[in-house]
Amino acid sequence: MKLRERLLSLLDSPDYTPTDMAGLARELGLQKREKKSLAHEIRLLLGEGQAVYVKGDRLARRGEEDSLRGRILFRAGGSAFFLPEDRPELSVFIPSDDTDTALHGDRVVVRLHSHNRAGRRPGSNEATGHVTRIIERARTTLVGHLQKVRDRHYVTPDDPRFVHDILVTLPSSTPEGPFAVTGDKVVVELAPWTHRSKPLEGRVTERLGRTFEPSAELKGVYRKFNLDTHFPAAVEQEANDLPDEVRKADLKGRHDYRDVPTLTIDPDDAKDFDDALSLEFLEGGSTRVGVHIADVSTYVVPGTALDREAQRRGNSTYLVGTVVPMLPEKLSNGLCSLVEAKDRLCIASLLTFDRKGRLQETEFARTVIRSRKRLTYKQAYALMFEHDLAKIRALPLPAKHQTGSTGRALNSLSDLELVDLQSWVKRLWGIASQLRSARMANGSLDLDMPEVKIFVDEEGYADRLEKVEHDESHQLIEEFMLAANEAVARLTRKERLPSLYRVHDEPDEERLSEYRDVLSTFDVHVGDLSERSEILKLLDILARHPQGYNLRSQLLRSLRKAAYRASPDGHYGLAKEDYTHFTSPIRRYADLVVHRVLGGHLGRRDGQATGGSPYGQGQLDGIGEHLTMTEVNSAEAERESVKIKLLEFFERELKKPKKTLFPAIVTEVRNHGLFIELTDSMTFGFLAAENIEGERFALNSSGTAFIGRESKLSYGVGSRLEVVVERVDRFKRMIDFRAPLARPGKRRQEAHARQ
């Protein structure tokens, strides 16, 4: 191929980013003597108008000199916004007619509209643009609902951000009948889509089941996020070759903590148990807390099939009612899980505190433990604050089908066992509360959000919702995990051991400024958010604001994302110079990496020939990038699972003969009704004005509230009311509500008093 053809091919390459002549020479692999020919060809292309210089001396194809490359993200209505790769502070609005053949998540080229061009986003100075080229498709397959219109089959994608139905062909019928029929959930392989005027086409490659059946919905999430539910045969074989229990030979060189009070505290539905806390009372009034973490590194050795698969997966993915584990069940739920009354191998951070709860000394050791009790957060909370042992004993065990281990029931413990357990938990909280106070005083941001836990029945249907607050039982565990993570990160940094760190960079000031403008529209006024003190002030305000949850969510999106990196760059949110992930090696490969680094250091300290770091710096850079990507993928899959199950739960509500009344708060007023949030489940939906029963409601002159014509009862932002489910659209992922007034007089008085 001639040099000109090679040069044009490079300029047209999807991965090409405008660069200077030296960069072009490197990309083309030219020798020094060929650079004159390159300069000649560049002059010809410039003269012919086929190329232009951008940003000074960087060569680009004509027509892309004012273009940007990045990801396009669609909204359900068909419009989109574009995130440029080299200008992270910029978000570009793309009208629906200007998206060309782009699909959600695609990497595209966008040309910005000129400032005076008609069609800028109405009422906004936001940059707008149009898609000129598709660089790379985000997906080659989609999951959706099969339907038939006349003699043609179409698939409506599950994700409403994929706004085009897909015209599909079906495989031939099987001996058992049609491959798939209307109403099935299917996987579609997309055909190339080059012209917007033509339909998006594809072929059905797999039937997952009937749409909205739990098993089919779950399979849909697996396919959409490329989650493997089975391990390769070589991985399973290596796992099967491991012992079923800890062997006597495995205890050599370990500190024996089996007779030291040790316990775990986890959610009701925990599938695996990474961490345990031990408590020792030392002379002089000091207390040593052992943060014992499952020693996965003993069983998962670098270079094995187990290790390669764990690294590929990156982490476990926790969907509603199930988990896609990073490690096979024999390890994740068995040999490595710190279940009650079983010997387990650990690596521990041993933290010694004085009488006043101040950290005095940190040690690291290989240990063997035997957990005395598997506690749920609810049980731990009761032990912390409830004095009546009968009430503590009455707390139920978690359902067997929801957890990897229930532990013994509290009502099976003797009075002495229960009193001892309570004294340990209270002592641990006494230290943890002081750690938390010191952390907050140092400027750590409390970014924890309440979450909704969705529990499923034995058939997999969403059965119960529970709002989980980040209470003291959660904080107890969190503070010791943070302390252990910080201690390990400090050690690896000071000893200059190649390792992975959990880093959170300083926020972008421009994004914070834009967020501050958003806050002002909700009558929230703060100063310069690049100052930590103003962020702290804002979090205090949002804790009491009617739209606090939404605004806190937007704050999180305005901050940079935490990531895994091979350099100790600190953690902005926690206000810590040293931080890593060490405490969850069953479910996070990053933690397993850190365990190996720490294990190598301990080996060298103890004079073992195998001591030393198993990783080089360059190798860790690549691992960190990969693990950050797998973490993002799992987080998106988990959010998808929650959305699906929430809709399923409220759809089942429609079928109940007696409707459940849900407490709600108004978050926004529109011309035709109110956007509301259910306060117990943080579910959002719409309440049309005509669905507020009891009398007729009309929008006031300022557009800020709906007023009852007779009672003058007012519903505006912050108003509280009770609603029932009216309609669920699982395709559009929308829920409509109705506000019944069963006793108008009393209800009106109560509602009016709340205003």
Side-chain angles (χ1 to χ4, degrees):
M1 187 184 293
K2 294 180 179 179
L3 180 57
R4 166 178 279 237
E5 293 172 340
R6 292 169 61 199
L7 178 57
L8 285 173
S9 177
L10 175 62
L11 296 181
D12 291 333
S13 168
D15 294 324
Y16 174 71
T17 299
T19 188
D20 59 14
M21 193 169 77
L24 290 168
R26 285 194 300 271
E27 294 274 359
L28 295 168
L30 300 182
Q31 302 294 324
K32 189 174 182 179
R33 64 178 180 274
E34 296 177 287
K35 290 186 178 179
K36 287 186 178 180
S37 298
L38 175 61
H40 176 68
E41 292 296 343
I42 289 174
R43 285 195 296 272
L44 289 176
L45 292 177
L46 292 169
E48 295 167 5
Q50 294 196 56
V52 294
Y53 278 131
V54 297
K55 297 181 180 179
D57 59 352
R58 301 181 186 184
L59 197 68
R61 266 294 210 174
R62 166 72 70 181
E64 294 194 3
E65 60 270 25
D66 58 349
S67 297
L68 298 168
R69 293 167 180 242
R71 295 281 175 188
I72 187 169
L73 303 175
F74 278 76
R75 298 181 171 97
S79 63
F81 60 96
F82 169 76
L83 303 177
E85 292 168 354
D86 58 351
R87 294 183 62 184
E89 79 286 352
L90 181 64
S91 176
V92 182
F93 177 73
I94 312 293
S96 56
D97 291 339
D98 287 336
T99 58
D100 195 43
T101 59
L103 299 171
H104 180 72
D106 286 352
R107 188 164 175 253
V108 299
V109 176
V110 164
R111 178 181 286 183
L112 298 180
H113 293 160
S114 61
H115 287 289
N116 58 0
R117 172 174 169 169
R120 288 178 59 79
R121 195 173 186 188
S124 171
N125 291 322
E126 185 178 22
T128 64
H130 64 279
V131 175
T132 61
R133 185 157 61 91
I134 313 300
I135 300 174
E136 180 185 19
R137 291 292 187 192
R139 301 192 62 84
T140 57
T141 62
L142 285 175
V143 175
H145 172 74
L146 181 65
Q147 52 190 324
K148 188 175 183 180
V149 179
R150 297 186 178 89
D151 59 343
R152 291 189 168 192
H153 285 92
Y154 293 86
V155 167
T156 300
D158 280 356
D159 191 335
R161 295 171 299 182
F162 287 88
V163 296
H164 303 280
D165 285 350
I166 308 159
L167 177 63
V168 296
T169 56
L170 295 176
S172 303
S173 296
T174 66
E176 292 77 26
F179 180 86
V181 297
T182 298
D184 282 349
K185 184 175 289 293
V186 295
V187 179
V188 178
E189 183 179 89
L190 297 175
W193 190 34
T194 55
H195 297 287
R196 187 178 173 87
S197 59
K198 296 182 178 179
L200 176 60
E201 298 182 356
R203 65 185 185 92
V204 174
T205 59
E206 187 178 2
R207 178 186 180 273
L208 302 179
R210 297 297 288 171
T211 296
F212 303 145
E213 285 182 349
S215 61
E217 296 297 316
L218 187 58
K219 289 177 184 176
V221 176
Y222 292 154
R223 299 299 184 276
K224 180 176 179 179
F225 295 97
N226 299 315
L227 301 173
D228 291 337
T229 56
H230 296 93
F231 288 91
V235 175
E236 292 284 10
Q237 184 59 54
E238 287 184 1
N240 290 335
D241 290 342
L242 293 170
D244 294 325
E245 301 288 348
V246 172
R247 299 168 300 191
K248 189 174 181 179
D250 298 329
L251 307 185
K252 184 180 178 181
R254 292 185 179 270
H255 295 249
D256 194 339
Y257 269 75
R258 288 176 291 182
D259 291 330
V260 177
T262 304
L263 52 88
T264 62
I265 303 176
D266 292 277
D268 279 22
D269 59 346
K271 302 295 190 295
D272 46 63
F273 305 88
D274 291 273
D275 53 85
L277 298 177
S278 68
L279 195 61
E280 298 172 272
F281 299 102
L282 309 180
E283 291 183 6
S286 296
T287 305
R288 183 159 56 208
V289 177
V291 182
H292 302 266
I293 308 301
D295 187 3
V296 178
S297 62
T298 288
Y299 303 109
V300 181
V301 179
T304 59
L306 264 171
D307 180 54
R308 289 192 298 271
E309 182 66 13
Q311 182 174 333
R312 186 188 70 81
R313 293 180 179 228
N315 47 260
S316 298
T317 304
Y318 293 85
L319 308 177
V320 175
T322 190
V323 59
V324 182
M326 183 181 81
L327 298 170
E329 185 175 358
K330 183 170 183 178
L331 286 163
S332 61
N333 282 40
L335 191 57
C336 291
S337 189
L338 309 184
V339 294
E340 186 177 315
K342 291 286 188 179
D343 290 357
R344 290 292 183 257
L345 305 183
C346 296
I347 295 182
S349 175
L350 304 173
L351 310 171
T352 302
F353 299 89
D354 66 14
R355 288 176 179 272
K356 296 183 178 180
R358 294 173 298 197
L359 182 62
Q360 297 295 296
E361 185 181 4
T362 301
E363 301 174 77
F364 300 97
R366 291 184 173 91
T367 62
V368 56
I369 69 165
R370 183 182 296 154
S371 172
R372 298 277 184 93
K373 190 71 195 77
R374 179 276 208 249
L375 292 175
T376 66
Y377 284 124
K378 293 173 187 172
Q379 291 171 341
Y381 188 87
L383 288 166
M384 293 161 72
F385 301 110
E386 178 58 62
H387 300 293
D388 188 339
L389 294 184
K391 290 182 179 179
I392 296 174
R393 279 201 171 94
L395 291 172
L397 286 174
K400 285 185 178 180
H401 71 278
Q402 292 175 345
T403 180
S405 174
T406 62
R408 291 172 296 161
L410 291 179
N411 62 16
S412 70
L413 273 60
S414 68
D415 284 354
L416 180 59
E417 287 178 304
L418 202 56
V419 169
D420 279 347
L421 190 60
Q422 187 170 46
S423 69
W424 301 335
V425 172
K426 286 188 173 183
R427 178 57 182 152
L428 287 169
W429 172 237
I431 297 172
S433 61
Q434 290 174 278
L435 288 174
R436 183 174 179 82
S437 296
R439 180 165 65 87
M440 295 304 171
N442 192 46
S444 182
L445 305 181
D446 185 4
L447 297 174
D448 290 309
M449 303 278 283
E451 61 174 312
V452 175
K453 182 78 73 173
I454 306 172
F455 293 92
V456 299
D457 60 22
E458 294 190 19
E459 295 180 359
Y461 286 98
D463 181 52
R464 178 169 63 88
L465 303 183
E466 184 178 302
K467 187 175 182 179
V468 179
E469 297 285 356
H470 194 74
D471 65 24
E472 289 87 344
S473 63
H474 296 74
Q475 294 166 15
L476 185 159
I477 287 294
E478 179 185 42
E479 293 307 323
F480 287 117
M481 297 307 115
L482 292 177
N485 286 334
E486 184 177 18
V488 175
R490 186 184 301 115
L491 173 74
T492 55
R493 177 179 61 83
K494 287 185 174 180
E495 295 290 333
R496 298 185 177 180
L497 303 174
S499 187
L500 277 181
Y501 296 88
R502 183 64 169 176
V503 300
H504 189 210
D505 294 328
E506 295 275 338
D508 179 80
E509 292 187 14
E510 188 167 343
R511 292 197 69 177
L512 287 179
S513 179
E514 291 173 358
Y515 173 64
R516 185 169 171 264
D517 293 339
V518 171
L519 289 172
S520 65
T521 64
F522 293 92
D523 201 29
V524 176
H525 303 285
V526 289
D528 183 358
L529 291 176
S530 63
E531 298 290 334
R532 184 177 290 270
S533 59
E534 289 299 311
I535 292 278
L536 293 169
K537 174 184 172 183
L538 171 63
L539 289 172
D540 184 57
I541 294 171
L542 296 185
R544 302 182 300 275
H545 196 278
Q547 289 186 307
Y549 182 83
N550 270 342
L551 293 174
R552 280 169 65 94
S553 298
Q554 290 184 52
L555 171 61
L556 288 174
R557 290 194 292 271
S558 299
L559 300 178
R560 297 190 193 276
K561 305 298 183 187
Y564 293 109
R565 200 176 296 159
S567 52
D569 299 330
H571 198 289
Y572 168 78
L574 294 172
K576 290 186 181 293
E577 179 184 359
D578 298 302
Y579 194 66
T580 189
H581 273 171
F582 160 75
T583 53
S584 297
I586 292 175
R587 61 185 179 92
R588 291 191 304 230
Y589 191 82
D591 303 53
L592 177 55
V593 168
V594 175
H595 272 237
R596 288 171 176 164
V597 173
L598 179 59
H601 171 75
L602 294 178
R604 187 168 63 251
R605 182 196 68 181
D606 299 338
Q608 297 175 9
T610 56
S613 176
Y615 297 100
Q617 192 72 23
Q619 183 184 10
L620 288 169
D621 286 332
I623 292 175
E625 290 180 10
H626 168 70
L627 297 182
T628 298
M629 291 174 59
T630 61
E631 179 185 61
V632 169
N633 185 68
S634 290
E636 291 179 353
E638 289 162 6
R639 283 194 291 269
E640 179 86 355
S641 172
V642 168
K643 290 176 185 176
I644 289 170
K645 286 298 184 182
L646 272 177
L647 290 164
E648 179 181 281
F649 175 84
F650 286 106
E651 187 177 62
R652 297 184 85 196
E653 275 290 323
L654 286 172
K655 300 174 183 177
K656 291 183 177 180
K658 184 177 180 181
K659 305 302 181 187
T660 303
L661 277 172
F662 296 100
I665 187 170
V666 177
T667 61
E668 189 175 350
V669 178
R670 291 288 181 89
N671 289 338
H672 303 296
L674 307 166
F675 281 101
I676 61 171
E677 176 190 355
L678 304 191
T679 53
D680 290 341
S681 64
M682 297 177 296
T683 302
F684 295 90
F686 187 70
L687 172 63
E690 61 265 27
N691 284 336
I692 307 175
E693 297 181 357
E695 61 178 308
R696 294 187 65 184
F697 284 81
L699 192 65
N700 64 6
S701 58
S702 61
T704 58
F706 278 88
I707 310 295
R709 294 195 175 183
E710 297 176 12
S711 66
K712 304 304 178 185
L713 177 62
S714 172
Y715 286 112
V717 172
S719 296
R720 296 183 180 273
L721 66 166
E722 292 179 322
V723 297
V724 297
V725 181
E726 176 74 7
R727 187 174 70 93
V728 176
D729 188 328
R730 293 185 66 172
F731 292 108
K732 294 181 179 179
R733 299 189 172 179
M734 297 171 62
I735 307 174
D736 290 338
F737 292 96
R738 178 168 50 85
L741 257 69
R743 297 164 64 188
K746 184 176 180 181
R747 186 69 57 82
R748 285 174 187 159
Q749 291 169 10
E750 291 175 347
H752 188 69
R754 288 195 290 263
Q755 300 306 307

